[in-house]
Amino acid sequence: MLLVIFYVVLAIITGLALNNLIFKILSKRLIEKETEYGIEFRRSLHSVFRILLPLFLVLLMIPSLPVSSQAGLVSSRLLTVFMILMIGFLSIKMVHLGRNLVLRRYDINTKDNLKARAIHTQMNMLVKIAVIVIVIISGASCLMIFENVRQVGTSILASAGVIGIIIGFAAQRSIAALLAGLQLAITQPIRIDDVVIVDGEWGQVEEITLTYVVVRIWDLRRLVVPTSYFLEKSFQNWTRTSADLLGTVLIYADYRLPVDAVREHLGEIVKNHELWDGKVWRLHVTNATEKAIELRALVSAANSGDAWELRCFVREKLLAFLQSNYPESLPKVRAEIIERAMID
């Protein structure tokens, strides 16, 4: 018994020493190239390998230990299951590490973040799919270690046709949702941080999963929408091809208003405002009714948030300009009163 304990302790110490040596060499080389990469690599994987390498050496040593065949078989199977789980955990860690290293190069907080949002959306969806596949493979590998479970698995495979049909009918909505999430990641009608209008609500895409999308509405509510919605129904995506937007402001005034004066004042407003991106500003008379004329001010901004603030600012300043300089040109309701002589 003491000899068994000695060999096991020796294997653990050897594994820990080997782990420290390997990571010392790798971390040194990685840190020389890129400090953040080496630190992230060591933080994410070192703790897992600290268990995995000693476990692997103990597993290799079990056949040569002076123990009964039954004890050796049970120990070998249990350690193999634990090692498979650790390898699965290590694989998930590596997937997340790869995602973090890729996304670090694409800052989603910049104004022109179209490519960054596309990469973030794709990577997050691929990571979710990869984690699900790793969990399924790890669980199946653990079950196949035991002969009794393996026989059950063989019986299930023999009737896979019938079981597949039953599962297909029972879980068709779930499978359709998963396929819709995968299609959403590939075609990308929406991306992380896209500005959308869904069911009449204006908001930004906060999270995209395989089955649902979370939209953060302007008043900080969250709208949870199935992924199939964005493939089956129409919706507005304000940042599909670029983040910059054109904002409109509608002003209604009397026919006597001098439009050129308002147009000149609009130019002064936008050119002195920090949120205007310097591309577009226009003023047109877009409609005329029996009561008033409709003026449409068109201004451009770098993103939806800036466009909203700029529109509100322009609307406020144009109204103040009309009130101060042309109060007689504010919308009026005209009526003609005809006096008739009272005939007794």
Side-chain angles (χ1 to χ4, degrees):
M1 186 65 182
L2 293 177
L3 186 60
V4 173
I5 295 176
F6 172 76
Y7 281 128
V8 172
V9 172
L10 179 62
I12 293 175
I13 294 175
T14 305
L16 291 175
L18 183 62
N19 174 70
N20 291 333
L21 178 62
I22 292 174
F23 271 86
K24 185 176 181 180
I25 296 173
L26 289 178
S27 297
K28 183 178 180 180
R29 293 185 177 181
L30 291 174
I31 289 174
E32 287 177 355
K33 295 180 180 180
E34 187 178 354
T35 302
E36 293 183 359
Y37 182 85
I39 295 175
E40 184 74 18
F41 181 82
R42 186 179 183 88
R43 184 189 303 119
S44 300
L45 305 183
H46 188 219
S47 59
V48 180
F49 273 100
R50 187 180 296 172
I51 300 175
L52 192 59
L53 287 179
L55 182 63
F56 178 70
L57 293 180
V58 172
L59 189 61
L60 291 179
M61 190 177 292
I62 285 179
S64 60
L65 293 177
V67 295
S68 63
S69 59
Q70 185 67 24
L73 181 61
V74 172
S75 301
S76 177
R77 287 181 176 178
L78 291 177
L79 291 177
T80 302
V81 169
F82 187 58
M83 187 171 179
I84 291 174
L85 294 177
M86 290 301 300
I87 292 175
F89 182 68
L90 174 64
S91 301
I92 294 175
K93 280 272 190 180
M94 294 181 67
V95 167
H96 284 93
L97 176 61
R99 179 195 63 181
N100 294 338
L101 293 176
V102 172
L103 296 185
R104 185 178 294 146
R105 302 178 181 178
Y106 299 94
D107 187 7
I108 201 172
N109 295 319
T110 59
K111 289 188 176 182
D112 188 10
N113 59 356
L114 181 63
K115 185 176 180 180
R117 289 188 288 110
I119 297 297
H120 275 254
T121 303
Q122 287 179 336
M123 291 302 300
N124 288 332
M125 295 293 290
L126 291 177
V127 165
K128 289 181 176 66
I129 295 173
V131 169
I132 293 175
V133 172
I134 291 172
V135 170
I136 293 175
I137 293 176
S138 300
S141 301
C142 291
L143 293 177
M144 296 302 291
I145 296 296
F146 304 96
E147 294 182 359
N148 294 334
V149 178
R150 190 183 307 165
Q151 292 175 359
V152 173
T154 304
S155 301
I156 292 176
L157 291 175
S159 56
V162 178
I163 294 177
I165 294 174
I166 295 174
I167 293 176
F169 277 108
Q172 56 181 339
R173 294 183 66 87
S174 300
I175 295 174
L178 292 175
L179 293 177
L182 183 60
Q183 185 178 353
L184 202 66
I186 296 174
T187 58
Q188 290 195 351
I190 57 171
R191 291 174 292 264
I192 297 294
D193 209 37
D194 263 348
V195 178
V196 296
I197 295 182
V198 180
D199 288 339
E201 297 283 1
W202 181 93
Q204 289 180 283
V205 177
E206 184 176 55
E207 182 182 1
I208 301 176
T209 69
L210 290 175
T211 55
Y212 63 88
V213 176
V214 179
V215 179
R216 184 180 70 251
I217 304 175
W218 64 272
D219 57 1
L220 301 184
R221 289 178 296 153
R222 264 60 175 181
L223 184 66
V224 181
V225 186
T227 52
S228 58
Y229 178 95
F230 295 95
L231 300 175
E232 298 173 355
K233 298 182 180 180
S234 58
F235 62 96
Q236 294 186 38
N237 188 338
W238 289 11
T239 54
R240 179 68 180 88
T241 57
S242 62
D244 55 337
L245 289 173
L246 293 177
T248 59
V249 175
L250 297 179
I251 298 293
Y252 296 92
D254 190 74
Y255 276 81
R256 290 177 292 181
L257 177 70
V259 178
D260 291 336
V262 180
R263 182 178 292 113
E264 182 180 353
H265 187 67
L266 173 64
E268 297 175 358
I269 294 174
V270 297
K271 290 177 182 178
N272 296 325
H273 201 282
E274 59 181 5
L275 295 182
W276 184 56
D277 61 2
K279 294 181 179 179
V280 177
W281 72 268
R282 297 284 188 276
L283 180 74
H284 297 97
V285 178
T286 54
N287 196 11
T289 67
E290 69 280 4
K291 296 180 180 180
I293 60 174
E294 180 185 75
L295 304 178
R296 187 187 71 175
L298 195 66
V299 292
S300 60
N303 53 60
S304 60
D306 291 351
W308 171 262
E309 294 292 338
L310 184 59
R311 287 172 59 196
C312 294
F313 181 80
V314 168
R315 184 182 296 110
E316 178 182 338
K317 293 301 179 182
L318 287 180
L319 289 176
F321 177 74
L322 294 183
Q323 292 170 355
S324 300
N325 298 276
Y326 303 99
E328 72 281 357
S329 296
L330 295 175
K332 294 180 175 62
V333 177
R334 293 180 173 85
E336 184 177 356
I337 300 177
I338 301 177
E339 296 183 358
R340 296 184 178 181
M342 297 295 294
I343 303 176
D344 296 331

